[in-house]
Amino acid sequence: MSLTARALLLDMDGTLVNSDAVVERYWRIWAAEQGLDPEQVLKVVHGRQGHATMAALLPDRPVERNLADNRWMLERETTDLDGVVPVPGAAAFMAALAALPHALVTSADEALARARMGAAGLPMPEVRVTAERVGASKPDPEGFLKGAAELGFAPADCVVFEDSEAGIAAGRAAGMRVVGIGPRAGAHAPDAHVRDLEQVRIEALPDGTMRLHFSG
């Protein structure tokens, strides 16, 4: 199977970087403090900004408390990089994209994105849409639409790479095709689905577009 695109919009956690160990460590602590079942909480944390997840889990909780807990979590996750590794194939994938239009669109803030991409040994894309730059978290399409606009391409010309339900929904809402990465993505009917980035090959075409080849 293959797709053609003029630009790629890349999620980070679960797509380029495997940070599950850190994410789960701190969400388990938070869930226990709130009297919530950690296993149920972990089913919904991926893809969203932390405060948005907290609001979904505890809808009557004051926004200020969610924002404060979100700051606490970001501070710890930014300095705790134990277990943060690249998704298989991520280094070669990013190298193949180096001269092609692409952007990072992540629910992490700039500091956390830099820390995790650095820990995984991956280059930071020049165009980045991080948590500080959007008013609404995924599954809202704002981040992907902003990334496409900064790259100068229409949404229909962009392909999103995502691992989570919220991220896949955001890509779809933006009017983009979505490649699902990893086990979480398969249940949400992306346009293409691969185990990891080792199953993706990028071919630059003479007209400036790229063809994405998927194996496996």
Side-chain angles (χ1 to χ4, degrees), residues 19 27-28 32 37-38 49-50 52 56 58-59 79 82 102 121 129 147 152 155 169 176 180 186 194 201 205:
S19 56
W27 278 104
R28 285 182 185 280
D37 178 355
Q49 292 183 36
L58 297 171
T79 55
D82 186 26
H102 66 286
V129 181
M176 301 173 184
V194 292
R201 183 171 66 84
L205 301 176

Side-chain angles (χ1 to χ4, degrees), residues 123-192:
M124 275 291 270
E126 197 171 308
V127 177
R128 301 180 292 277
V129 181
T130 53
E132 307 95 322
R133 301 204 46 229
V134 296
S137 174
K138 298 172 186 176
D140 191 282
E142 181 186 354
F144 287 126
L145 291 171
K146 192 165 277 189
E150 290 202 17
L151 290 171
F153 294 101
D157 290 329
C158 299
V159 169
V160 164
F161 279 68
E162 265 286 359
D163 73 302
S164 70
E165 180 179 8
I168 291 169
R172 277 218 196 86
M176 301 173 184
R177 291 155 296 154
V178 181
V179 177
I181 307 293
R184 281 191 291 268
H188 306 294
D191 296 279

Side-chain angles (χ1 to χ4, degrees), residues 93 96 197-203 211-215:
F93 177 80
L197 293 169
E198 288 184 337
Q199 295 187 323
V200 182
R201 183 171 66 84
I202 298 170
E203 177 189 6
R211 184 171 289 127
L212 311 172
H213 300 273
F214 308 107
S215 60

Side-chain angles (χ1 to χ4, degrees), residues 38-51:
E39 299 309 319
Q40 294 303 312
V41 169
L42 291 176
K43 289 179 181 178
V44 298
V45 300
H46 297 286
R48 291 185 179 91
Q49 292 183 36
H51 63 84

Side-chain angles (χ1 to χ4, degrees), residues 27 29-36 50-73:
W27 278 104
I29 293 169
W30 184 86
E33 289 175 347
Q34 312 311 316
L36 299 173
H51 63 84
T53 297
M54 294 168 192
L57 289 165
L58 297 171
D60 297 327
R61 196 171 192 250
V63 172
E64 294 75 16
R65 288 188 63 192
N66 292 340
L67 292 173
D69 283 4
N70 191 60
R71 285 193 294 272
W72 174 88
M73 200 168 283

